[in-house]
Amino acid sequence: MASTPPTVAEYLIRRLQDHGVEHVFGVPGDYVLQFYDQLARSPITVVGTTIEGNAGFAADAYARIRGMGAVCITYCVGGLNAVNAIAGAFAEKSPVVVISGAPGRREREKDPLLHHKVRTFTTQYEIFQRITCAATVLDDEATALAEIDRVLAACQHQKRPGYIELPRDMVNVRPPVRHRPAEVKRVSDPDALAEALAEAVALLNAAECPVILADVEIHRFGLQQELLQLVEQTGIPVAATILGKSVVSERHPLYLGIYEGAVGRAEVKEQVEAADCLLMLGTFLTDVNLGIFTAKLERARAIEITSEKVQIHHHRFEGIEFADFLHALLRADLRPRPGALSPPGAGAGCPAGAGAGGQAVAGAGAGGQAGRGKAAAKADAVAQGKEAAKADAVAQGKEAKEGRAAVPGEAASAAPLQAPLTAPLTVDLLFARLNDFLTDDMIVIADVGDCLFGATDLVIHRRTEFLASAYYTSMGFAVPAALGAQFAAPEARPLVLVGDGAFQMTGMELSTIAYHKQNPIVVVLNNHGYTTERFILEGPYNDIAEWHFEKLPQLLGAGTGYVVRTLQDLDLALIQALADKGGFSILNCHLEKMDHSSALGRLGQAMEQKLKDMNADA
Amino acid sequence: MASTPPTVAEYLIRRLQDHGVEHVFGVPGDYVLQFYDQLARSPITVVGTTIEGNAGFAADAYARIRGMGAVCITYCVGGLNAVNAIAGAFAEKSPVVVISGAPGRREREKDPLLHHKVRTFTTQYEIFQRITCAATVLDDEATALAEIDRVLAACQHQKRPGYIELPRDMVNVRPPVRHRPAEVKRVSDPDALAEALAEAVALLNAAECPVILADVEIHRFGLQQELLQLVEQTGIPVAATILGKSVVSERHPLYLGIYEGAVGRAEVKEQVEAADCLLMLGTFLTDVNLGIFTAKLERARAIEITSEKVQIHHHRFEGIEFADFLHALLRADLRPRPGALSPPGAGAGCPAGAGAGGQAVAGAGAGGQAGRGKAAAKADAVAQGKEAAKADAVAQGKEAKEGRAAVPGEAASAAPLQAPLTAPLTVDLLFARLNDFLTDDMIVIADVGDCLFGATDLVIHRRTEFLASAYYTSMGFAVPAALGAQFAAPEARPLVLVGDGAFQMTGMELSTIAYHKQNPIVVVLNNHGYTTERFILEGPYNDIAEWHFEKLPQLLGAGTGYVVRTLQDLDLALIQALADKGGFSILNCHLEKMDHSSALGRLGQAMEQKLKDMNADA
């Protein structure tokens, strides 16, 4: 700390930087202008968005990639626009710090009707208390700095949003207190850890067909490397949930696929549910993750390790940190399976044909290794030998091209790709082609609806490069998230999958993307309305206006638009968009209104059934 | 009531209709689909918006015109997008009913992680409790119908939003109870009313220079006719606040103008503050209404009548209904001033030159009388005689044209209109010209920023045809409000004034406007960033992306766009837009970045000074 004690604003900015925040998203307003002024003088870059909700989504994506994100908005008219995005970050465990300007302490005397005030001066604070893990109003100089530490530490530890309200007459106050940033290091109870570990190790070693189910907290706590190491050391195959998609490279030979009960692919369901020991890491048992409760995961065969608890079968352990347990597991005496670093399909007694090898994909191509670990490269080599024949079969019907990965699974691959180039585009064709075009430098960001369900089958090359509002499922997440993602990872290129309805909610954030010369490829799945809902209950309310998305570049004075109606249109547009790195590309992909991925078909059935059951009960 | 008892949905729909709701705004989602289905089968029209916040603004505008509005959205991802708009309706006293779908009662058992859930199942309810006057979850069939009555009655009486959460398994339940809609008729305490009335009448009759200050509640309680009658019976001149703008026709000879302390025009300030008896009707003493607290209104000379209290000087009366008092005042023995129905400028002892006559405007022209009362026509005739000379002077420099009203005030009229047609457009020129083009069938809807301040000087022809978020000042109100306004008053044509920043927040709601073939004229005051803020504190955060707003029709496949850089461009665009009633028109009016109305200049100074004082204090 410098010898002059910092102002409240200086301290807050410094602590944000300590947590890796280099960009803050928001919209200025009079109650927050002084703090904006301080931000503008700091090393932190302020990224102005069109509206605060989009700033929330951008910061959420940034937090998922960087470990913490921040929005900075004005009082009520600003903050209350961001409630949904921050609620989503809460639901999906993304640590976004909300910094809100507010009327000054002295302005609040006698409770005047200041503009932007809703009911009382604490209305906004009370609302954010409900969607954050820690909230504070910095109205006392004696505690302001400690309160900043408290909120940031809670966000950091709980991976949830926090709320800091900064009355505008506190921005430049220098609290007359000596304050050292408090770092709370959380430590596991060593005895509880030892007992739980011993039990887990014994169960895993005794198991014939163990499976790891990796979920969102692996991502949030940055434990992807540890997961990979565990998988490769032991040879235990790993599945991911849709929320945890891409926590491990989806081209890894020990990767099984996405598990989501009956909504997911049958072979993944079979193997996960047949496991005699299921090691659930960082799981978050939501209805979406569980395939609208069609999953059958038995506690009696499960070990669940999360930031909130360690549970083995029906008993729980308290006081064990998630990361500590995973690190201990890596050091423990876990027996390597015969198939360690090779597909476990060879192992005896496990469901036939459901091993990882059944879906491993050749990682050929020059670009394939960039950014990946030594182990992964070795794994690829293994897969390459065994699976080259299959990969060739998959690639049939199109030119073999370096740098392209082949397509996994049945539905989305060989069959549709035999369609003529002039065939009208379908959802299956679209996803199959996107899979071909995925490159190693891409982050896939899927919005809600068939973007999300169809994307389940996309093979993400590197880990942690799939972002979606997969539990909270808030439409409109993807385009603003792309803004945040590209600031968080400037070397990466976002591939945004978004429906026409979702784009109409927030897609105009492309404006800010254009302003900052970012270059995402935005694929609009234009199925002319709310198709996901049509499968549940059809009515005129599912119809929406038709936008000529390809004309957006004219409105914004940047980017390139494409109309896509056939497979050939798609190929040409994707080739051009990949080559054109100077700005955003937007593809208006026309799809039949009732066309859908097979995953959405299964989900729609599950939800429709649920509705019928409910009406029958009523 | 029919002999079969209604389902919860049927009852809710029927009661909404009882309150005049014919349109419901919203976005469907799976938790609300069953209720959407019921709405689609009812006489109520469902208007789907691009995002829920815009539905909130549309319903707010609808409520201001019709007396009640409604939004219907899904759980959390929908409802939480509407928090800001509903908070705005709360702050500005607009009765919007929020109907939210929600997980069924039986789905909530065992507290599962259902999609769209944030923290607990009551998170959304708790949030809306803070921004509504009544909130309920219809989870009990024994009380569901009574709860609907309770919430709607509270909205009706308090002119604030209400919240009704409808678990999806309750939609089609038929409560086995006999229920009659409860109508709560609120009655004043006759003794309190008599005492307060006698005192007010005595004070008004004794006053030499009384003034009426009319505010927002006149509008919300639909008492415009009573106000007009009071003004014309007594000859007491009337000023309005910015929140109350247009509660009386602004071409009425007894109308003084907008009072907003030092921020408003000097002559209005002078006359209002010099009144020896100030009758404040339906006032809401916000900082904006009070010109950022530059107003000087002395309680010792004031009678304040609102829905919340009757206050004379420093004492209060309880239990008196706003409407009852106003009706009693009309029946009371108030002495008519010598100038009743003629400008009170002639009265002795009042500030010279500050009478209404000083600003009365000739109501000449064929279209000028449409929709106005007999008294107003007479008043026009009076004004016409006295003020024709002045009106001519104002009209100088442009063709005299039937149906045009002349322009009031100095700043916005004579001087700038002498500019050549090729002169670059300025804010003053723009507002002066808009004033010329205002027709009797227009509703003016102003967004925040210079749209609002500049619009202060627009002369609204009929009463209650000016809509703005004038206290809560939430950017992005205007375009979605136009959608709601035109459904509420299909015969009217919205003239929307919106800044470039505000348009980027919510302006894409033009999509829904186009879908329904509505025809607002949208004037974008494109000053290339957040100009209002530049006057408070300038920085790079006030710069935003440049949109080619005139290209929007290509994106949306409807409407007509115009680029406006000069006075001539503006005239041509306005003439064409007025003639073209088949769709929306959007005018991209380029303004210098620091150009502004004189009102904004004064406001900016007041706010900048406030900021300096605050920093000096800190």
Side-chain angles (χ1 to χ4, degrees):
Chain A
M1 295 255 136
S3 54
T4 313
T7 63
V8 172
E10 286 165 356
Y11 187 77
L12 177 53
I13 289 168
R14 196 179 303 165
R15 297 297 285 137
L16 287 171
Q17 291 179 272
D18 291 346
H19 282 88
V21 172
E22 291 179 68
H23 301 82
V24 163
F25 302 87
V27 181
D30 67 330
Y31 287 121
V32 78
L33 275 180
Q34 288 102 317
F35 186 63
Y36 261 74
D37 205 45
Q38 294 300 308
L39 280 172
R41 295 164 200 272
S42 83
I44 289 181
T45 301
V46 177
V47 180
T49 56
T50 60
I51 192 167
E52 294 83 358
N54 293 355
F57 287 136
D60 181 346
Y62 191 93
R64 290 175 195 217
I65 294 170
R66 283 284 188 98
M68 190 172 284
V71 299
C72 185
I73 71 271
T74 195
Y75 188 60
C76 291
V77 294
L80 299 184
N81 260 335
V83 169
N84 180 54
I86 301 306
F90 185 92
E92 302 207 336
K93 300 197 177 183
S94 181
V96 176
V97 183
V98 178
I99 301 162
S100 177
R105 288 181 300 177
R106 300 185 56 187
E107 291 175 273
R108 302 184 188 207
E109 287 164 14
K110 294 190 188 169
D111 200 28
L113 288 167
L114 295 187
H115 64 287
H116 301 348
K117 185 173 129 184
V118 182
R119 186 176 211 147
T120 72
F121 280 113
T122 59
T123 300
Q124 179 170 281
Y125 168 70
E126 290 167 31
I127 287 173
F128 275 94
Q129 271 186 314
R130 279 155 181 85
I131 54 172
T132 56
C133 67
T136 189
V137 180
L138 302 181
D139 55 5
D140 181 351
E141 52 200 59
T143 59
L145 308 192
E147 281 293 283
I148 290 169
D149 288 347
R150 178 179 70 83
V151 172
L152 295 183
C155 295
Q156 170 87 341
H157 178 68
Q158 297 184 43
K159 310 296 176 197
R160 303 274 201 186
Y163 175 79
I164 297 175
E165 185 172 312
L166 186 50
R168 60 177 169 177
D169 56 4
M170 285 291 290
V171 171
N172 296 316
V173 164
R174 283 185 202 280
V177 288
R178 289 200 72 79
H179 177 79
R180 292 172 62 99
E183 293 299 347
V184 187
K185 175 81 186 131
R186 300 177 66 110
V187 183
S188 294
D189 174 334
D191 297 336
L193 178 56
E195 185 181 313
L197 183 71
E199 191 177 357
V201 168
L203 287 169
L204 283 166
N205 282 342
E208 301 251 314
C209 314
V211 168
I212 295 170
L213 182 61
D215 201 350
V216 62
E217 284 195 350
I218 290 285
H219 183 185
R220 299 297 189 268
F221 286 84
L223 295 167
Q224 296 94 332
Q225 190 54 43
E226 286 80 354
L227 171 67
L228 186 66
Q229 206 180 325
L230 181 67
V231 167
E232 295 187 345
Q233 261 179 222
T234 61
I236 300 176
V238 59
T241 62
I242 179 73
L243 263 176
K245 183 173 169 70
S246 87
V247 290
V248 65
S249 163
E250 298 196 297
R251 301 200 298 179
H252 195 283
L254 284 165
Y255 177 68
L256 296 173
I258 297 292
Y259 173 75
E260 50 179 336
V263 173
R265 296 228 307 279
E267 63 273 24
V268 185
K269 175 177 162 67
E270 196 185 335
Q271 188 159 358
V272 169
E273 296 183 356
D276 54 355
C277 181
L278 183 67
L279 179 61
M280 298 158 74
L281 295 176
T283 35
F284 194 38
L285 300 177
T286 71
D287 61 346
V288 178
N289 264 350
L290 299 178
I292 311 299
F293 302 117
T294 57
K296 294 196 170 43
L297 300 177
E298 289 180 31
R299 280 266 169 234
R301 292 186 289 188
I303 301 170
E304 189 182 7
I305 320 290
T306 73
S307 70
E308 290 169 17
K309 66 174 180 198
V310 166
Q311 177 160 356
I312 300 181
H313 300 177
H314 290 90
H315 52 285
R316 278 189 198 198
F317 297 83
E318 300 285 331
I320 299 174
E321 294 294 309
F322 184 31
D324 289 351
F325 192 94
L326 204 48
H327 288 133
L329 211 49
L330 285 176
R331 289 189 305 267
D333 194 18
L334 282 173
R335 75 169 163 101
R337 310 272 140 183
L341 283 185
S342 73
C350 294
Q359 293 171 70
V361 169
Q369 313 295 355
R372 303 170 71 207
K374 204 171 152 189
K378 185 167 169 203
D380 271 358
V382 170
Q384 213 166 348
K386 290 192 66 160
E387 296 297 312
K390 177 150 191 232
D392 275 353
V394 169
Q396 149 197 11
K398 61 184 173 75
E399 296 175 353
K401 196 168 172 183
E402 269 206 353
R404 287 192 179 183
V407 180
E410 299 307 310
S413 62
L417 278 180
Q418 287 168 354
L421 286 173
T422 51
L425 193 66
T426 65
V427 174
D428 280 342
L429 281 174
L430 175 64
F431 277 103
R433 245 354 178 222
L434 288 174
N435 234 337
D436 296 347
F437 278 90
L438 275 188
T439 60
D440 276 6
D441 67 346
M442 279 183 181
I443 296 181
V444 176
I445 306 177
D447 214 289
V448 176
D450 216 8
C451 302
L452 181 60
F453 306 121
T456 308
D457 287 336
L458 286 184
V459 179
I460 307 299
H461 293 209
R462 291 193 300 173
R463 66 184 194 218
T464 315
E465 283 165 350
F466 179 79
L467 300 178
S469 173
Y471 160 52
Y472 189 58
T473 50
S474 184
M475 279 172 67
F477 171 82
V479 174
L483 173 73
Q486 211 166 16
F487 274 111
E491 78 291 348
R493 193 161 188 198
L495 174 69
V496 179
L497 308 175
V498 55
D500 49 333
F503 192 98
Q504 293 186 9
M505 284 190 165
T506 62
M508 295 310 292
E509 204 54 48
L510 267 183
S511 168
T512 310
I513 284 171
Y515 187 75
H516 292 282
K517 302 185 171 40
Q518 294 185 336
N519 61 4
I521 299 173
V522 179
V523 177
V524 181
L525 279 78
N526 186 354
N527 45 23
H528 316 286
Y530 301 132
T531 293
T532 304
E533 286 174 10
R534 295 194 200 277
F535 282 93
I536 308 172
L537 198 61
E538 175 61 308
Y541 36 82
N542 292 327
D543 298 328
I544 64 173
E546 180 75 30
W547 287 17
H548 302 280
F549 297 99
E550 71 278 4
K551 302 280 176 68
L552 264 167
Q554 280 102 296
L555 176 68
L556 300 177
T560 309
Y562 301 88
V563 180
V564 173
R565 295 183 189 276
T566 64
L567 198 54
Q568 188 167 34
D569 292 344
L570 179 66
D571 280 356
L572 291 174
L574 285 174
I575 288 167
Q576 283 187 47
L578 279 172
D580 168 16
K581 297 185 172 163
F584 74 82
S585 298
I586 182 163
L587 282 64
N588 184 0
C589 298
H590 290 273
L591 296 165
E592 283 299 318
K593 168 164 113 159
M594 295 307 279
D595 185 23
H596 60 89
S597 69
S598 42
L600 174 56
R602 293 188 296 265
L603 181 74
Q605 278 164 18
M607 292 179 94
E608 192 185 9
Q609 190 53 49
K610 208 171 173 60
L611 226 103
K612 282 185 187 151
D613 295 349
M614 211 176 295
N615 284 334
D617 290 346
Chain B
M1 296 253 134
S3 54
T4 313
T7 63
V8 173
E10 286 165 356
Y11 188 77
L12 177 52
I13 289 168
R14 195 180 302 165
R15 296 297 284 136
L16 287 171
Q17 292 179 272
D18 290 346
H19 282 88
V21 172
E22 291 179 69
H23 301 81
V24 164
F25 302 87
V27 181
D30 67 329
Y31 288 121
V32 79
L33 275 180
Q34 288 102 317
F35 187 63
Y36 261 74
D37 205 45
Q38 294 301 309
L39 280 172
R41 295 165 199 271
S42 83
I44 289 182
T45 301
V46 177
V47 180
T49 56
T50 61
I51 192 167
E52 293 83 359
N54 292 356
F57 287 137
D60 180 347
Y62 191 93
R64 290 176 196 217
I65 294 169
R66 283 285 187 98
M68 189 171 285
V71 298
C72 185
I73 73 272
T74 194
Y75 189 58
C76 291
V77 294
L80 299 184
N81 260 335
V83 170
N84 180 55
I86 301 306
F90 185 92
E92 302 207 337
K93 301 195 178 184
S94 180
V96 176
V97 183
V98 178
I99 300 161
S100 177
R105 288 181 300 177
R106 300 186 55 186
E107 291 176 274
R108 302 185 188 207
E109 287 165 13
K110 294 192 190 169
D111 201 26
L113 287 168
L114 296 186
H115 64 287
H116 301 348
K117 184 173 133 185
V118 182
R119 187 174 210 149
T120 73
F121 279 114
T122 59
T123 300
Q124 178 170 282
Y125 168 69
E126 290 167 30
I127 286 173
F128 275 94
Q129 271 187 315
R130 279 154 182 86
I131 54 173
T132 56
C133 67
T136 189
V137 180
L138 301 182
D139 55 5
D140 180 351
E141 53 199 61
T143 58
L145 307 192
E147 280 294 282
I148 290 170
D149 287 347
R150 178 180 69 85
V151 172
L152 295 183
C155 294
Q156 169 88 341
H157 178 68
Q158 296 184 44
K159 308 296 176 196
R160 303 274 200 186
Y163 175 80
I164 297 175
E165 185 173 312
L166 187 49
R168 59 177 169 177
D169 56 4
M170 285 291 290
V171 172
N172 296 318
V173 164
R174 283 185 203 280
V177 289
R178 288 200 74 79
H179 177 80
R180 291 171 64 98
E183 294 297 347
V184 187
K185 175 82 184 131
R186 299 177 66 108
V187 184
S188 295
D189 173 335
D191 297 335
L193 177 57
E195 185 181 314
L197 183 71
E199 190 176 357
V201 167
L203 287 168
L204 283 165
N205 281 342
E208 301 251 312
C209 313
V211 168
I212 295 170
L213 181 62
D215 201 350
V216 62
E217 284 194 348
I218 290 286
H219 183 186
R220 298 298 189 268
F221 288 82
L223 296 167
Q224 296 95 331
Q225 189 56 42
E226 285 80 353
L227 171 67
L228 185 67
Q229 204 180 326
L230 181 68
V231 167
E232 295 187 345
Q233 260 178 223
T234 61
I236 301 176
V238 59
T241 62
I242 178 74
L243 263 176
K245 183 172 170 70
S246 86
V247 289
V248 65
S249 164
E250 298 196 300
R251 302 198 298 180
H252 195 281
L254 285 165
Y255 177 68
L256 295 173
I258 297 291
Y259 172 75
E260 51 178 336
V263 172
R265 296 228 307 278
E267 63 273 25
V268 184
K269 175 177 162 68
E270 196 185 333
Q271 187 159 358
V272 169
E273 295 182 357
D276 54 355
C277 181
L278 183 66
L279 179 61
M280 298 159 74
L281 294 176
T283 35
F284 195 37
L285 300 178
T286 72
D287 61 345
V288 178
N289 264 351
L290 299 178
I292 311 297
F293 301 117
T294 57
K296 292 194 172 42
L297 300 177
E298 290 180 31
R299 281 264 169 235
R301 292 186 290 188
I303 301 169
E304 188 181 8
I305 321 291
T306 73
S307 70
E308 290 169 17
K309 65 174 179 196
V310 167
Q311 177 160 358
I312 300 180
H313 300 175
H314 289 91
H315 52 284
R316 278 190 198 198
F317 298 83
E318 301 285 331
I320 299 174
E321 294 295 308
F322 184 33
D324 288 351
F325 192 95
L326 203 49
H327 288 132
L329 211 50
L330 286 175
R331 289 188 304 266
D333 194 18
L334 283 173
R335 73 167 164 103
R337 310 273 140 183
L341 282 185
S342 73
C350 295
Q359 293 170 69
V361 168
Q369 313 296 356
R372 302 170 73 207
K374 204 172 157 189
K378 184 170 172 204
D380 271 357
V382 170
Q384 213 166 348
K386 289 191 68 163
E387 297 298 314
K390 180 155 186 224
D392 276 353
V394 169
Q396 147 194 12
K398 59 186 175 74
E399 298 176 353
K401 200 169 170 184
E402 270 205 352
R404 287 192 181 183
V407 180
E410 299 307 306
S413 63
L417 278 180
Q418 287 168 356
L421 285 173
T422 52
L425 193 65
T426 65
V427 174
D428 280 342
L429 281 173
L430 174 64
F431 278 102
R433 247 349 180 225
L434 288 174
N435 234 336
D436 295 349
F437 277 91
L438 275 186
T439 61
D440 276 7
D441 68 346
M442 279 184 182
I443 296 182
V444 176
I445 306 178
D447 213 289
V448 175
D450 217 8
C451 301
L452 181 60
F453 307 120
T456 309
D457 288 335
L458 286 183
V459 180
I460 307 299
H461 293 209
R462 289 191 301 173
R463 64 180 195 219
T464 315
E465 283 165 351
F466 179 77
L467 300 178
S469 172
Y471 160 53
Y472 188 58
T473 51
S474 185
M475 279 172 66
F477 171 83
V479 175
L483 173 73
Q486 211 166 15
F487 274 112
E491 77 291 348
R493 192 161 188 198
L495 174 69
V496 179
L497 308 174
V498 55
D500 49 334
F503 192 98
Q504 292 185 10
M505 285 190 165
T506 62
M508 295 309 293
E509 204 55 46
L510 267 183
S511 168
T512 310
I513 284 171
Y515 189 74
H516 292 282
K517 300 185 171 43
Q518 294 184 337
N519 62 3
I521 299 173
V522 179
V523 177
V524 181
L525 279 76
N526 185 353
N527 45 24
H528 315 286
Y530 301 132
T531 293
T532 304
E533 287 174 10
R534 296 195 200 276
F535 283 92
I536 307 172
L537 198 61
E538 174 62 308
Y541 36 82
N542 293 327
D543 298 329
I544 65 173
E546 179 75 30
W547 288 16
H548 302 281
F549 297 99
E550 71 279 5
K551 302 279 177 67
L552 264 167
Q554 278 103 297
L555 177 68
L556 300 177
T560 310
Y562 302 88
V563 180
V564 173
R565 295 183 188 277
T566 65
L567 198 53
Q568 188 167 35
D569 292 342
L570 179 66
D571 280 356
L572 290 174
L574 285 174
I575 289 166
Q576 284 187 44
L578 279 172
D580 168 17
K581 297 187 173 162
F584 74 83
S585 298
I586 182 164
L587 282 63
N588 183 359
C589 298
H590 290 272
L591 297 164
E592 282 299 318
K593 169 164 111 160
M594 298 304 281
D595 184 24
H596 61 90
S597 69
S598 41
L600 174 55
R602 292 188 297 263
L603 181 74
Q605 277 164 20
M607 291 180 96
E608 192 186 9
Q609 189 54 48
K610 207 170 173 62
L611 226 104
K612 282 184 188 152
D613 295 349
M614 210 175 295
N615 285 333
D617 289 346

